[in-house]
Amino acid sequence: WQVLVLPAGSPAPDENTTGFVETNDNPYIAEGLEPNTEYDIYVRADCGNEDGLSTWTGPAKGTTTQIPAELPYDEGFEGENNWSFVGTGDNQWFFGTAVNNGGTHALYVSKDEGTTHTYNTSSTTVAHAYRDFLVEDVSGELEISFDWMANGEGTSTKWDYLNVWLVPSSYNPTPGTLIENTVHNGMLLMYKRNNNTEFLPEFLSIDINTLNAAFDSGYFRIVFEWRNDSGGGDQPPAAIDNLLIKKVTCPPVINLESDIAENGEAGEAQVLLSWTPVGDETQWEIIILPFDDPTVPDENSTGIIVDEPQYLFTVEDDNPGEILCDNKFYKFYVRPLCSEEDWGRWSKQGIVSLIPPPGCAEVEAEIVFSDVEGLTPNAKGDYVICQDEPVNLTLSATYYDIPGTETYE
């Protein structure tokens, strides 16, 4: 046989075509091909000097696999496109310049082959973009972060949205079909995300032992999955930029706790904040905010640096000796400082209360509190009920309950 392997879309061969390989093997393994590339494959029979050559048969279509990327993997989509795309319908993933969050390129869904970051809202689509990776470690933690946007359609019921998966590298998404984790033991990282018209950061962590147990190979594939129906929707569709996958070398702290300490000087209240290190670091950075402050620290945020895994938080008490209900709840975040170049990510928030258990409540009811036995107003004129005070009245109230606990989320 004579075998000819050409880049997809090349002109079909004729009787004068050269560049083929002669082989006696069936099946035949073509070598020296580019990774992640689609090819047209032609074959013709060589029947000897008397009968000569057959006509070419083909093309058969074939796509080479990716060469798995090693970690750390930092992808701003500014270089060579090593991603694979599958899907049906008008709306497909593209690697282009219609949108970005830094640089000039990003990965995004487009209805016109990447010219615009828009989608056809009347054309049902399921589209996938994926990349393969090799994890050589057998323990530790992977950090996966990226910037994403997707507006789409739906709130309580979602019709147009973004999913993000980890699957075995042997699993190939089916064009036009949503991935189901029951089929291939996949790990769903983001589910039905939409209603976002600007890039937002996403930070995820995966235990390497869990990853290897799920896929049993050391290889995995990250898949960005876009789905939309044909019933309308709002621009833009999904886009991804600044993907980073790396092994965590400075793991975040765990077990954030807060315990009321003995009061310091008059007019002060103190809470001992503590946490459990996971790595070998000897310094930590802590940020403390009022509980209702919407701020969430990012990599550029700065706080108080300490040399032990605890910090004594002191608050000036405006009304010493009174029950501390108003504005006495705080939240705190901690990150490890493993070296000048290696800072861990911020922890989940810990809760700080200057109100000792069992808690207190502010009661709102149509009642004359001055007639209730045991109730007297404080200096602000408020009637505040705490569970350790004698009150001969059954009331229903919404209150902060701060029991003793070692677990906060």
Side-chain angles (χ1 to χ4, degrees):
W1 297 275
Q2 294 179 350
V3 180
L4 184 64
V5 181
L6 299 173
S10 298
D14 56 27
E15 65 274 12
N16 298 316
T17 298
T18 59
F20 51 79
V21 174
E22 294 185 340
T23 181
N24 296 322
D25 298 333
N26 182 12
Y28 167 75
I29 299 176
E31 298 179 341
L33 304 180
E34 292 296 320
N36 195 31
T37 303
E38 185 178 3
Y39 288 93
D40 292 339
I41 305 164
Y42 297 87
V43 179
R44 68 180 174 184
D46 185 348
C47 300
N49 293 332
E50 184 174 345
D51 293 326
L53 301 171
S54 72
T55 58
W56 290 103
T57 299
K61 298 288 186 179
T63 302
T64 54
T65 60
Q66 299 178 10
I67 296 177
E70 297 182 353
L71 303 183
Y73 179 79
D74 192 352
E75 176 65 276
F77 303 99
E78 301 298 324
E80 183 180 357
N81 177 18
N82 294 309
W83 288 70
S84 298
F85 308 105
V86 295
T88 60
D90 292 343
N91 308 313
Q92 301 297 321
W93 287 96
F94 285 91
F95 186 105
T97 59
V99 67
N100 65 77
N101 193 33
T104 58
H105 290 70
L107 181 69
Y108 54 90
V109 173
S110 174
K111 67 181 181 182
D112 47 23
E113 299 186 345
T115 301
T116 64
H117 177 215
T118 58
Y119 74 112
N120 185 342
T121 60
S122 60
S123 175
T124 300
T125 296
V126 176
H128 301 97
Y130 62 86
R131 184 76 172 95
D132 293 347
F133 298 91
L134 169 63
V135 182
E136 297 181 309
D137 298 284
V138 296
S139 63
E141 185 179 23
L142 284 186
E143 179 180 301
I144 302 175
S145 63
F146 52 88
D147 301 330
W148 72 277
M149 76 161 66
N151 198 4
E153 180 186 17
T155 51
S156 57
T157 300
K158 298 189 177 184
W159 306 105
D160 303 354
Y161 53 81
L162 170 70
N163 291 333
V164 182
W165 291 87
L166 294 186
V167 299
S169 59
S170 58
Y171 173 79
N172 294 310
T174 302
T177 302
L178 286 169
I179 297 174
E180 296 181 6
N181 62 338
T182 55
V183 175
H184 50 79
N185 206 28
M187 303 170 67
L188 184 58
L189 303 183
M190 284 177 54
Y191 181 57
K192 291 188 175 182
R193 295 291 186 91
N194 65 2
N195 294 316
N196 175 36
T197 58
E198 297 182 356
F199 277 105
L200 287 179
E202 186 76 16
F203 297 92
L204 306 163
S205 61
I206 303 293
D207 181 76
I208 294 178
N209 287 323
T210 302
L211 188 71
N212 288 333
F215 303 151
D216 194 30
S217 66
Y219 296 90
F220 71 92
R221 174 172 289 172
I222 189 169
V223 184
F224 294 104
E225 179 179 63
W226 168 256
R227 186 266 186 192
N228 68 267
D229 69 355
S230 59
D234 296 317
Q235 307 293 347
I240 302 293
D241 205 354
N242 303 318
L243 171 65
L244 175 63
I245 303 178
K246 65 177 183 177
K247 183 179 179 181
V248 175
T249 56
C250 191
V253 303
I254 59 174
N255 299 332
L256 273 65
E257 299 181 6
S258 63
D259 297 293
I260 293 180
E262 295 294 331
N263 287 345
E265 299 178 2
E268 291 182 347
Q270 294 183 324
V271 179
L272 182 64
L273 309 181
S274 61
W275 52 91
T276 302
V278 176
D280 300 329
E281 75 276 9
T282 57
Q283 280 193 325
W284 299 265
E285 190 168 14
I286 181 169
I287 287 180
I288 305 170
L289 300 166
F291 188 76
D292 57 358
D293 189 324
T295 302
V296 176
D298 59 25
E299 61 180 9
N300 297 316
S301 301
T302 58
I304 302 167
I305 295 177
V306 297
D307 296 326
E308 54 183 346
Q310 63 181 23
Y311 176 72
L312 189 62
F313 175 43
T314 301
V315 179
E316 294 292 331
D317 187 355
D318 296 333
N319 298 290
E322 294 190 5
I323 299 169
L324 304 175
C325 280
D326 293 338
N327 301 320
K328 299 304 179 183
F329 287 86
Y330 297 84
K331 58 185 179 181
F332 71 104
Y333 302 86
V334 181
R335 68 176 173 184
L337 307 179
C338 297
S339 70
E340 291 184 0
E341 295 80 24
D342 192 9
W343 296 359
R345 68 175 183 271
W346 291 103
S347 66
K348 295 181 179 179
Q349 70 178 24
I351 304 298
V352 181
S353 170
L354 299 181
I355 305 169
C360 65
E362 291 191 5
V363 180
E364 295 181 2
E366 294 182 0
I367 185 170
V368 180
F369 283 98
S370 59
D371 295 337
V372 179
E373 181 181 351
L375 276 184
T376 57
N378 62 16
K380 297 181 180 180
D382 297 328
Y383 289 89
V384 181
I385 297 176
C386 284
Q387 296 177 26
D388 57 354
E389 294 182 0
V391 178
N392 298 326
L393 182 67
T394 300
L395 296 173
S396 175
T398 300
Y399 63 96
Y400 289 105
D401 186 14
I402 313 296
T405 180
E406 295 181 355
T407 302
Y408 295 91
E409 294 184 353

